[in-house]
Amino acid sequence: MYRYSHNHSDKTSWRTFQKNLQREAKQNTRQNSRVLKKPMQSNTPSFTMRKSLSLKNIDRSQGRLPLKKIVVSLAIIIAVAFVMQQIVPVFISGAQNFFTEATAFFKHDAASFFKELASTQPKSHKKTENIKSPQKKATTYLSKKDLRTILEPQKLLNLKESLITINDVNRKLNIATSLDMRLQNFLLDQLDSLALLNRGKPEVIAMVVMEPHTGRILAMAGFDSHSPDINPCTEVEYPAASLFKMVTASAAVETHGYSPATTMYFSGGKYTLYKRQLQEETNSKFTNKVTLAEAFAQSINPVFGKLGSLILGKDVLEKYASSFGFNQEIDSEINFKPGSFTITESAYQWAEVACGFNKTTTISPVFGAMIASTMLNSGKTPVPSIVESVTDGKGMVLYKRKSETLNDTVKPDTAKALMQMMNGTVITGTARKSFRGVDKDNVLSKLNIGGKTGSLSNYDKTIRFDWFSGFCSDNKEQEQIVVSVLVGHGKYIGTKASIYGRLIFKEYFDNYFALNSKPSTNS
């Protein structure tokens, strides 16, 4: 390489230096072009090769990023992914709400759209301070099962008001009953008159008045001198006696085509039941001939005993007892047990059951009213009820009564046949003395009256139970009631159950006719 020396002072030297420098530059240019085509043979790199190597070093340094930059990049990627995970679902949910509300808008109207939009605000993912707002307590409605727990049977006995107020679980319950207080007070007056008796005062008395089509109890009163804390109207410990003949007669009419005029035969006494009386007999000088209606009215045990043992049998008796409600669960707000019925494999026991000559078939007075109501209700057994409605202290209705039937027990024609037989009980049968002079009574002469009596002693023979279960309706059958009366006589026989039945019929319909005979006036 040529270098200029400052020691030269002449111009020739300077020009020579410049020419040499130009010549050398050309040579270097040609050499660099050869280097690009093939490797250099010399160990000393040229200027162009040094430039190329420096560029490669720069590329390698750019390919190997520092660790710090890698970590920062990963952190940024993770942060972006987390943000997307939080935002995308919210965005999708908002879009779904938008399209849903838009659909509601086009289906209905703008008012409903904005109303729905206001009620579906997007939930914030940020924690906000909880603000407690007063919440309304949910109304707890009452079922019949609840009322059976609240209304113990003794609370329903001898009520003096139709409204019962009870404090239950920190709330006040106003229970409106179905009681007819005029009739209820009449029954209470009968009980008060019994308290004055020194002789003939019953050990037990229970009186129930019911509407046959609805099952509404209009009056309920009584007492048990041996167990003053119980309600005798709902107890099931009393023998059904001859009231079961209503079940037996219904089964004979439906299963074997019997009618009130069917001829029946029996021997011996009317109110006994010996095995020799249960033999199949024909008409002879030693037998008595009666119709089924007469046997029912006079409550002749051998006739119904033979129906049970020779005609109906175990299965039919059991079927019809169950249909009338014996041994069945009855869903009523009144806490009472159904009739109790037991049948064995003994034919003589079938005879005892069929005529009621046993102490194992038991019923309550409420259940006795159900059986009689079946006949007036076209063969349907009503479910008894005493609660019309229940409200709380604020007037909210918690329960409202609905009329229900237990079973379609017998056919309507069968029910009519039984009503005809029950008419005979008060005209020529076992209750004829109690209803003597009915045809001349200004109230009872306008009525259709029927019933069934029954009587049987307890196991100790200290109490003679006396039943009357019957019906009464006006001649147009626009108004009807059923009564079930049980009297447990002690040492002396006092007023019979059928007498109380007559008194109740007259009291109720005397008021009914009086109300309906008044001309309507406009005030």
Side-chain angles (χ1 to χ4, degrees), residues 153-189:
Q154 57 268 31
K155 292 181 179 179
L156 300 174
L157 184 66
N158 302 334
L159 292 174
K160 296 182 179 180
E161 294 181 356
S162 62
L163 183 66
I164 306 173
T165 301
I166 295 177
N167 293 321
D168 177 68
V169 192
N170 299 324
R171 61 177 175 177
K172 180 181 178 182
L173 298 179
N174 298 314
I175 302 173
T177 68
S178 57
L179 295 179
D180 179 341
M181 289 313 300
R182 175 196 54 79
L183 189 60
Q184 175 74 5
N185 289 329
F186 175 77
L187 299 191
L188 296 178
D189 290 342

Side-chain angles (χ1 to χ4, degrees), residues 104-123:
F105 174 77
F106 289 110
K107 274 188 175 181
H108 303 288
D109 51 32
S112 63
F113 169 72
F114 287 111
K115 182 179 179 180
E116 292 293 331
L117 186 62
S119 64
T120 56
Q121 294 295 330
K123 295 182 180 179

Side-chain angles (χ1 to χ4, degrees), residues 69-301:
K69 291 184 179 181
I70 295 174
V71 173
V72 172
S73 300
L74 290 175
I76 293 173
I77 293 171
I78 293 171
V80 171
F82 177 77
V83 171
M84 294 295 291
Q85 184 182 9
Q86 298 297 319
I87 293 176
V88 170
V90 176
F91 175 78
I92 295 174
S93 176
Q96 289 177 345
N97 289 337
F98 173 78
F99 287 113
T100 301
E101 301 302 337
T103 303
F105 174 77
F106 289 110
K107 274 188 175 181
H108 303 288
D109 51 32
S112 63
F113 169 72
F114 287 111
K115 182 179 179 180
E116 292 293 331
L117 186 62
S119 64
T120 56
Q121 294 295 330
K123 295 182 180 179
S124 175
H125 291 275
K126 295 182 180 180
K127 294 183 178 180
T128 57
E129 185 179 358
N130 294 328
I131 301 175
K132 295 183 179 180
S133 58
Q135 296 181 353
K136 294 182 179 180
K137 294 183 178 180
T139 303
T140 304
Y141 295 97
L142 298 175
S143 64
K144 291 182 180 180
K145 183 178 179 181
D146 296 329
L147 291 175
R148 285 196 296 270
T149 303
I150 296 170
L151 291 175
E152 299 174 358
Q154 57 268 31
K155 292 181 179 179
L156 300 174
L157 184 66
N158 302 334
L159 292 174
K160 296 182 179 180
E161 294 181 356
S162 62
L163 183 66
I164 306 173
T165 301
I166 295 177
N167 293 321
D168 177 68
V169 192
N170 299 324
R171 61 177 175 177
K172 180 181 178 182
L173 298 179
N174 298 314
I175 302 173
T177 68
S178 57
L179 295 179
D180 179 341
M181 289 313 300
R182 175 196 54 79
L183 189 60
Q184 175 74 5
N185 289 329
F186 175 77
L187 299 191
L188 296 178
D189 290 342
Q190 301 303 309
L191 298 183
D192 292 340
S193 64
L194 292 175
L196 303 176
L197 297 178
N198 294 323
R199 182 173 177 173
K201 181 180 179 180
E203 301 293 327
V204 179
I205 185 169
M207 298 177 283
V208 177
V209 185
M210 181 188 292
E211 283 184 353
H213 295 288
T214 64
R216 295 172 67 244
I217 291 180
L218 304 179
M220 180 190 294
F223 64 79
D224 187 329
S225 59
H226 299 280
S227 302
D229 294 333
I230 70 169
N231 182 347
C233 298
T234 60
E235 289 296 312
V236 74
E237 62 185 28
Y238 309 113
S242 291
L243 293 192
F244 196 85
K245 287 185 173 76
M246 290 188 279
V247 179
T248 305
S250 298
V253 170
E254 287 207 336
T255 61
H256 287 78
Y258 281 38
S259 72
T262 299
T263 301
M264 310 295 293
Y265 300 95
F266 74 98
S267 62
K270 293 180 179 180
Y271 309 120
T272 56
L273 189 67
Y274 299 108
K275 289 184 179 180
R276 64 176 181 268
Q277 293 179 286
L278 301 177
Q279 296 176 1
E280 189 172 356
E281 299 177 86
T282 58
N283 187 16
S284 69
K285 62 179 181 179
F286 300 106
T287 60
N288 300 296
K289 178 181 177 180
V290 292
T291 64
L292 180 59
E294 291 171 337
F296 185 93
Q298 298 174 35
S299 199
I300 300 175
N301 286 337

Side-chain angles (χ1 to χ4, degrees), residues 332-363:
S332 169
E333 70 269 6
I334 306 171
N335 193 356
F336 79 104
K337 294 181 180 179
S340 177
F341 173 84
T342 303
I343 194 164
T344 66
E345 299 298 328
S346 169
Y348 180 72
Q349 198 261 352
W350 305 344
E352 290 180 317
V353 168
C355 68
F357 197 71
N358 71 93
K359 296 180 176 65
T360 58
T361 304
T362 59
I363 63 173

Side-chain angles (χ1 to χ4, degrees), residues 139-140 171-174 390-399:
T139 303
T140 304
R171 61 177 175 177
K172 180 181 178 182
L173 298 179
N174 298 314
V390 181
T391 58
D392 60 13
K394 297 180 180 179
M396 175 70 69
V397 177
L398 306 179
Y399 175 83

